[in-house]
Amino acid sequence: QVQLVESGGGSVQPGGSLRLSCAASGFTFSNYRMSWYRQAPGKEREWVARISTTGWIRNYADTVKGRFTISRDNANNTVNLQMNSLKPEDTAVYYCNSFHLFSGEHWGQGTQVTVSS
């Protein structure tokens, strides 16, 4: 059974940092591209960052480039999102996503990030 479990969300002041983690199980993690998405209240879910199967290729949305860093540990089946210089507009539920061209994709249940003074 495929499972993606996010953790690390919480409340932080503007300018602060958080580190999200996603623990994967039930599939061959190293074969899947991994991504983070987010959904703010009243808005559609948007892509934030993705990392290739080997971790060599990383892409970011313009809104987070230079502030967020995605990484993965294929030995421990985890993907992380280090978020620095957080802004109120980063407030959202953050979701972990796994994707394989032939096997499809899966989603975690999400973790809340709130940036407020």
Side-chain angles (χ1 to χ4, degrees):
Q1 179 183 356
V2 173
Q3 275 197 313
L4 296 172
V5 180
E6 301 96 335
S7 61
S11 295
V12 64
Q13 292 187 340
S17 298
L18 283 173
R19 183 177 177 85
L20 304 183
S21 293
C22 173
S25 61
F27 62 101
T28 307
F29 180 77
S30 59
N31 289 347
Y32 283 68
R33 185 182 75 191
M34 299 300 295
S35 301
W36 286 95
Y37 287 73
R38 68 186 181 186
Q39 187 167 19
K43 295 188 176 182
E44 293 188 354
R45 190 173 298 188
E46 65 173 356
W47 168 72
V48 174
R50 72 169 65 93
I51 188 167
S52 64
T53 54
T54 60
W56 295 345
I57 301 173
R58 310 179 193 196
N59 303 104
Y60 300 93
D62 288 343
T63 51
V64 306
K65 197 172 295 183
R67 300 188 297 122
F68 290 12
T69 302
I70 189 170
S71 61
R72 67 188 295 160
D73 181 348
N74 285 347
N76 291 302
N77 293 354
T78 57
V79 59
N80 302 303
L81 186 68
Q82 178 66 43
M83 306 186 295
N84 298 330
S85 303
L86 283 162
K87 305 175 181 180
E89 50 264 43
D90 294 320
T91 295
V93 177
Y94 283 71
Y95 297 90
C96 179
N97 170 275
S98 64
F99 174 81
H100 187 284
L101 182 62
F102 301 113
S103 304
E105 66 179 351
H106 300 282
W107 295 90
Q109 83 289 348
T111 185
Q112 176 71 46
V113 171
T114 302
V115 185
S116 174
S117 55

